[in-house]
Amino acid sequence: MIEARHLVKKFRDKKRGALPAVDGVSFSCRPGEIYGLLGANGAGKTTTLRMLATILAPTEGTAIVGGFDVNKEPEKVRACVGFLSTATALYGRLSAFEMVQYFGRLHGMDDPALGRRIDSIFDRLEMNEFRDRRCDKLSTGMKQKVSIARTLVHDPSVMIFDEPTVGLDVMAARTIAGFIRECRDAGKTVIFSTHVMSEVEKLCDHIGIIHNGKLMAEGTLTELRRQYALQDLEDIFVKVVEP
Amino acid sequence: MSLRNIGIVYRKELIDSLRDRRTVISMIVVPIFVMPLLTIGIGGVLVSQVGRAMDEVPKVMILGGHDSPNVRKQLSELKRVSIVPEKPDYAEEISNKQIRAAVDIPEGFDAKLAAGEPMTVKIYMYEGEIKSGFGADRLQKFFRDLRDRTVQQNLRERQLPESIIQPFDIREQNVAPPEKVGGAVLGGLVPYFVILLCLTGAMYPAMDLTAGEKERGTIETILCSPVSRTHLVLGKFLMVLTASVATAVLSLSSMALSFGAGKKLLLGVAQGAADSAMQITISGKAVASIFLVVFPLAVFFSAALLAISLFAKSFKEAQSYLSPLMIVVVLPAVAAMIPGVDLNAKLALVPVLNTSLVAKEIIAGTYHWNYIAIIFASSSVYAAAAIAVAVKLFQREDVLFRT
């Protein structure tokens, strides 16, 4: 469960003072559902998701993630969240196994249970072939799998994906899309951000359109089509951000 | 505070760093191999150069004195100098190192010497050039001996005792134990190296663990793990401290070993030159005491370097922050080598300088325990402050996500 309550994030700028990157965003996202945050570059998607993952602290407002308040218990929030973005790189000098093991240990798992967990993840994602290879020697697709294994190792109930497909080729992007669906089917709460309309159309149960830090429209695809009397999501998006 | 989490982070950073060739070079290879090279190499070159200069037969020129065949004859019989024909451009030849020295014999030297008239013998040389110095020394010694012989002869002729011109002797004698003599020579140098290596050993990992993480994009990955930022920065700090201490310990031991080896090697080459420079014996007590005062300084360096490089967006930027810092640290370390700069209550509070000064004293065999305590305490305060700053900075989003 994710519940964002009037999230505000201001960044200080030398010339222009405090600028709101996210300006009063509220929404909720239930388990077994995929919530898509759609917006142009600089709209505030990454900042919103980083606040949900407690990487950034909100200037105002709060969010309840997995039952914990991001302001009050950020460490408990992180313990039940899996966060994946193209910016979350791997430690190049650790092997695929060590990378996942490190994060499992940081999540407080003891070694025998962690070993079993890693074995099952590596089997499922077919990663045993490059298990002991260093991360900086892996192909993009393999790195993607290590990242997925890293986010899954502690079996989080909430998954946050920040533009997970940026810069990936078709096959790697399909792997990610499949993974996002699997997460939903496993009953996890899933939120992901993108600026690619087709991904939203294919994957999302709920859509939020964010522009200049504000949530401009929200609803299922059907609801949005009805509300704006348009079929194509791209047309709806343009109508929302440029009324 | 969870020691388990700090331990997990530390262990990972240690494995990660030991797999990085650049860290291994700066932390292990440089201290082990550079110190012996420095001591044996430079020392060896120095001793062999001095030896060669002493063995050389210097070319000298005799100017004038054609009316004094006596002194010219004696000069030409002088061993270990070779006389070259007289030329008017002697000054230039000395400057160009074609000849080493020249002596100007005044007109009527023999006659004036016999008559007891005052006169001046001039020796031309290249000031500060060691081979020219040796040449000039030999000429000077010849004329001094000649003068002494003349004086003795004159005294004898007048039947006066020799003590009339030399009523008493003056002699200096060293009473300080040998390690104190050695301490004065090398005492300033050893702490300087140890302090510098503590800094350089910490420098690379400090940048790699902060700016390097930002550059490679792993900072966001680690921040979304449940480990708290305080544990994260403390784990990183311990790794940087390990590198700093390892560099210092490795270089100290390899330096001690190479001094031992160098001593035997060099003493065989040139007894005199090597003797005073190599008169150094560092006791186990001294090593332990130096380690005691240097350790809080290593803590201070590690935390400070971590805090500063955390500000940088990239490795390159971190390097441009840390390079000037080297000079800031080197200055007080060098200041301790200046003769006359001695430990007092005020200087005991100046970071780096205090450690350098007290280490100098320890090598010289003097243990001011009250100063050692003050310095340990003040360095610990600075170290704690630096750790606090590093931990504080790691909580700041504008520092972690500076773009």
Side-chain angles (χ1 to χ4, degrees):
Chain A
M1 183 76 185
I2 299 174
E3 214 185 317
R5 295 174 185 163
H6 198 75
L7 282 174
V8 176
K9 182 69 188 177
K10 287 179 182 156
F11 290 116
R12 214 166 298 148
D13 188 277
K14 266 182 201 148
K15 288 173 197 151
R16 293 172 290 179
L19 284 181
V22 173
D23 197 359
V25 168
S26 304
F27 61 86
S28 64
C29 171
R30 282 178 295 273
E33 241 182 45
I34 300 177
Y35 190 97
L37 212 49
L38 188 61
N41 291 333
K45 301 180 301 255
T46 297
T47 307
T48 305
L49 296 189
R50 279 180 173 176
M51 281 192 279
L52 295 179
T54 78
I55 295 171
L56 295 177
T59 315
E60 282 169 38
T62 190
I64 309 297
V65 178
F68 302 103
D69 190 311
V70 292
N71 289 324
K72 289 176 191 142
E73 292 174 298
E75 274 141 44
K76 284 189 179 158
V77 170
R78 286 202 292 277
C80 64
V81 164
F83 183 84
L84 184 70
S85 88
T86 35
T88 50
L90 304 170
Y91 287 108
R93 293 187 292 262
L94 295 187
S95 71
F97 177 81
E98 286 166 334
M99 178 76 198
V100 181
Q101 187 189 40
Y102 180 42
F103 279 81
R105 282 181 178 155
L106 288 178
H107 276 285
M109 302 169 79
D110 57 12
D111 280 356
L114 180 59
R116 286 194 298 274
R117 176 78 185 153
I118 294 176
D119 285 344
S120 91
I121 294 175
F122 274 48
D123 284 342
R124 208 171 84 212
L125 295 173
E126 293 167 350
M127 294 170 63
N128 287 314
E129 173 207 346
F130 54 88
R131 182 187 174 100
D132 294 318
R133 215 183 295 171
R134 278 193 191 188
C135 288
D136 53 10
K137 300 267 194 291
L138 300 179
S139 71
T140 315
M142 291 171 177
K143 281 182 184 158
Q144 206 63 47
K145 285 185 178 177
V146 179
S147 283
I148 291 172
R150 193 261 305 158
T151 54
L152 277 183
V153 67
H154 56 295
D155 195 17
S157 61
V158 175
M159 295 296 295
I160 301 175
F161 298 91
D162 182 21
E163 305 210 39
T165 55
V166 167
L168 295 184
D169 63 19
V170 181
M171 294 314 287
R174 274 179 79 92
T175 313
I176 294 284
F179 174 55
I180 292 174
R181 269 194 209 98
E182 268 178 47
C183 287
R184 172 189 55 194
D185 298 343
K188 296 182 195 300
T189 309
V190 182
I191 182 165
F192 96 109
S193 73
T194 182
H195 58 264
V196 183
M197 306 293 159
S198 60
E199 278 181 354
V200 177
E201 283 176 328
K202 263 188 263 171
L203 286 169
C204 296
D205 302 306
H206 267 80
I207 302 167
I209 297 177
I210 189 168
H211 187 64
N212 284 339
K214 290 194 166 74
L215 200 64
M216 309 293 280
E218 207 193 357
T220 61
L221 190 55
T222 332
E223 282 167 5
L224 288 174
R225 279 179 177 148
R226 199 183 310 134
Q227 197 183 336
Y228 291 92
L230 287 166
Q231 269 305 302
D232 188 42
L233 184 59
E234 196 174 307
D235 293 338
I236 296 172
F237 180 77
V238 170
K239 190 156 185 186
V240 169
V241 302
E242 289 175 349
Chain B
M1 194 63 49
S2 156
L3 288 179
R4 180 182 181 270
N5 282 351
I6 297 173
I8 293 170
V9 174
Y10 171 69
R11 208 166 110 191
K12 177 260 160 192
E13 298 294 4
L14 190 66
I15 293 172
D16 199 353
S17 294
L18 286 176
R19 286 183 188 165
D20 181 19
R21 201 179 304 133
R22 290 179 292 184
T23 304
V24 171
I25 287 174
S26 82
M27 185 171 137
I28 298 168
V29 178
V30 168
I32 290 184
F33 293 103
V34 168
M35 292 321 275
L37 268 180
L38 217 66
T39 46
I40 297 184
I42 294 185
V45 168
L46 197 75
V47 168
S48 80
Q49 283 297 322
V50 171
R52 203 178 302 159
M54 283 161 77
D55 288 341
E56 188 198 66
V57 176
K59 285 184 187 160
V60 299
M61 203 182 268
I62 303 171
L63 309 167
H66 298 289
D67 52 1
S68 307
N70 223 341
V71 70
R72 283 189 71 98
K73 184 170 171 286
Q74 284 181 47
L75 268 173
S76 66
E77 281 166 1
L78 196 60
K79 279 175 196 159
R80 307 208 43 192
V81 293
S82 105
I83 311 285
V84 296
E86 186 174 347
K87 270 193 227 164
D89 60 345
Y90 61 90
E92 208 171 299
E93 292 210 352
I94 293 173
S95 304
N96 296 340
K97 302 183 184 177
Q98 284 160 304
I99 62 170
R100 297 301 178 195
V103 57
D104 189 359
I105 299 172
E107 241 180 72
F109 182 89
D110 285 356
K112 281 180 181 172
L113 188 68
E117 278 178 44
M119 55 187 168
T120 308
V121 176
K122 272 190 202 152
I123 295 170
Y124 301 104
M125 63 167 305
Y126 187 146
E127 177 82 55
E129 214 275 310
I130 186 165
K131 290 178 182 170
S132 175
F134 284 135
D137 279 351
R138 273 172 211 163
L139 289 173
Q140 203 179 25
K141 185 176 185 302
F142 167 80
F143 280 100
R144 214 186 294 127
D145 289 350
L146 180 60
R147 189 176 60 188
D148 289 351
R149 277 202 308 277
T150 314
V151 169
Q152 280 169 5
Q153 199 187 329
N154 290 346
L155 290 171
R156 260 199 309 278
E157 277 170 11
R158 289 172 179 79
Q159 294 187 328
L160 291 167
E162 268 185 48
S163 63
I164 200 163
I165 55 149
Q166 206 171 328
F168 56 83
D169 258 356
I170 309 165
R171 212 166 70 201
E172 286 180 350
Q173 192 174 346
N174 171 43
V175 293
E179 74 257 25
K180 293 207 177 189
V181 177
V185 179
L186 271 164
L189 213 57
V190 172
Y192 165 77
F193 271 120
V194 174
I195 290 171
L196 198 65
L197 282 157
C198 266
L199 182 75
T200 54
M203 214 173 233
Y204 185 81
M207 292 191 280
D208 193 53
L209 264 51
T210 52
E213 283 229 25
K214 284 191 194 176
E215 196 171 291
R216 293 187 293 266
T218 46
I219 190 107
E220 201 173 331
T221 317
I222 192 67
L223 288 180
C224 62
S225 83
V227 66
S228 81
R229 290 179 190 180
T230 305
H231 295 157
L232 194 57
V233 67
L234 288 178
K236 285 177 182 290
F237 157 75
L238 284 180
M239 168 56 217
V240 177
L241 180 63
T242 305
S244 173
V245 171
T247 308
V249 167
L250 284 174
S251 56
L252 256 188
S253 351
S254 87
M255 190 151 51
L257 285 176
S258 53
F259 265 130
K263 207 165 166 178
K264 282 185 194 125
L265 204 82
L266 297 181
L267 283 182
V269 181
Q271 188 77 29
D275 225 19
S276 64
M278 293 294 157
Q279 274 275 359
I280 182 163
T281 37
I282 307 175
S283 68
K285 187 184 169 195
V287 170
S289 313
I290 290 177
F291 185 77
L292 181 77
V293 287
V294 166
F295 185 75
L297 192 65
V299 173
F300 172 67
F301 282 159
S302 304
L305 291 175
L306 203 61
I308 294 168
S309 47
L310 186 61
F311 261 105
K313 281 173 288 197
S314 65
F315 215 89
K316 273 216 175 107
E317 198 186 328
Q319 272 174 326
S320 67
Y321 289 162
L322 296 190
S323 307
L325 192 75
M326 278 274 274
I327 300 166
V328 175
V329 170
V330 165
L331 277 180
V334 170
M337 287 199 274
I338 301 171
V341 179
D342 282 321
L343 203 53
N344 60 41
K346 261 186 210 158
L347 291 185
L349 298 176
V350 180
V352 185
L353 180 63
N354 58 5
T355 312
S356 197
L357 283 171
V358 81
K360 188 168 93 174
E361 299 272 325
I362 290 172
I363 288 186
T366 319
Y367 292 84
H368 299 296
W369 287 110
N370 48 345
Y371 279 136
I372 292 175
I374 294 175
I375 290 165
F376 184 82
S378 74
S379 298
S380 301
V381 170
Y382 297 131
I387 294 177
V389 169
V391 170
K392 263 254 141 39
L393 278 181
F394 223 81
Q395 319 287 336
R396 279 178 51 180
E397 288 168 3
D398 56 336
V399 174
L400 290 174
F401 294 99
R402 214 163 71 87
T403 46

